[in-house]
Amino acid sequence: MLHLSHADYAALRAHGEETYPHECCGVLLGKASPDGNRVRQIVRAGNTRTDSAHNRYNIAPEELIRTQRQARTLGLDIVGFYHSHPDCPAQWSQTDYNEAHWLGCSYVITRVDQGKAAITNSFLLTGTGEEDKAFRDEPIEIELDSTES
Amino acid sequence: MKIHIPTPLRAYTGGEQTVGVPGATVGQALQELTTAFPELRQHLYTGEGKLRSFVNIYLNDDDIRYLPQKESTPVGESDELTVIPSIAGGCEDGAADALHAICNYFCPKGAKL
Ligand SMILES: [Zn+2]
């Protein structure tokens, strides 16, 4: 289960609408808990794949390092990532799988149809390494913002 | 020096997000790291001992692959190494690309998959 505030859920979907027809991407900061990753903050990232931004995304390592540093000062961890699929299903692709290396992290994918955010799904990258890694469907629990702790 | 460990690899550092190691060069510091936490080695390096292609290691703000002296680069107490696996993907996979290529060849003009 991925726990996400309604504001963050809306923000990551809006990001996909803004960058349409290109893929958006970003980082989920939060904490792992026994019942799943809990997101406390989302951080937008730039898509470096300007050569093929409609169907590819890549976050520059320099930007990831800055984000990881930001997480550290907030007492949070990187618990996942999000990106959009412009006019493509909200399912992980073979490319997503091949390029997924953050075991234990949630990969959130939003389908954006003609500029409007459609379904958003989350997939937990499970396994112990490259040999046995697997995406598992992960329900998203959207939490109302008034309970912000 | 300090080495920052990304979330997925903390399972192999006893949960530590930052590890302090001795060492006069980048290579020595990494050697100390994998000696202290042997399970980390296979996640950072291939069987041939090469840094895995999707693992980036930065000395402060520089990718160690592009440092002039690479792993022999001298380091001091205040330097920081950050291990950061890459993040990438996309909605169209190789199979879909191949299908499109086949369609472009065989399908009537203007047809879309
Ligand atoms: Zn994707």
Side-chain angles (χ1 to χ4, degrees), chain A residues 56-57 62 77-78 93 96 128, chain B residues 7 10 43 58 89-90 92:
Chain A
R56 289 287 185 275
Y57 80 97
E62 293 80 6
D77 301 315
I78 293 176
S93 66
D96 286 331
T128 60
Chain B
T7 337
R10 291 180 197 160
H43 295 278
Y58 274 63
E92 195 167 43

Side-chain angles (χ1 to χ4, degrees), chain A residues 23 57 83-85 91-93 96 109, chain B residues 89-92:
Chain A
E23 294 199 10
Y57 80 97
H83 71 283
S84 63
H85 280 181
Q91 288 293 322
W92 54 271
S93 66
D96 286 331
I109 301 174
Chain B
C91 68
E92 195 167 43

Side-chain angles (χ1 to χ4, degrees), chain B residues 18-87:
Chain B
T18 301
V19 176
V21 295
T25 64
V26 167
Q28 284 175 15
L30 291 172
Q31 179 68 45
E32 291 287 341
L33 177 72
T34 53
T35 302
F37 305 103
E39 283 178 303
L40 263 185
R41 185 182 299 275
Q42 65 172 107
H43 295 278
L44 301 181
Y45 299 99
T46 63
E48 291 81 51
K50 271 195 66 182
L51 191 60
R52 287 181 182 265
S53 58
F54 58 84
V55 175
N56 301 301
I57 299 183
Y58 274 63
L59 173 61
N60 304 315
D61 292 314
D62 298 304
D63 189 332
I64 63 166
R65 289 188 182 94
Y66 303 117
L67 291 172
Q69 298 181 68
K70 303 205 162 35
E71 298 211 351
S72 308
T73 306
V75 292
E77 194 51 42
S78 62
D79 286 321
E80 297 187 0
L81 282 172
T82 303
V83 178
I84 202 104
S86 63
I87 276 295

Side-chain angles (χ1 to χ4, degrees), chain A residues 29-63:
Chain A
L29 304 186
K31 281 283 172 193
S33 78
D35 62 341
N37 290 323
R38 291 182 175 273
V39 179
R40 290 271 173 260
Q41 192 171 327
I42 69 169
V43 181
R44 289 185 173 202
N47 182 358
T48 67
R49 287 298 301 269
T50 46
D51 58 316
S52 190
H54 66 290
N55 68 354
R56 289 287 185 275
Y57 80 97
N58 179 76
I59 302 179
E62 293 80 6
E63 190 166 10

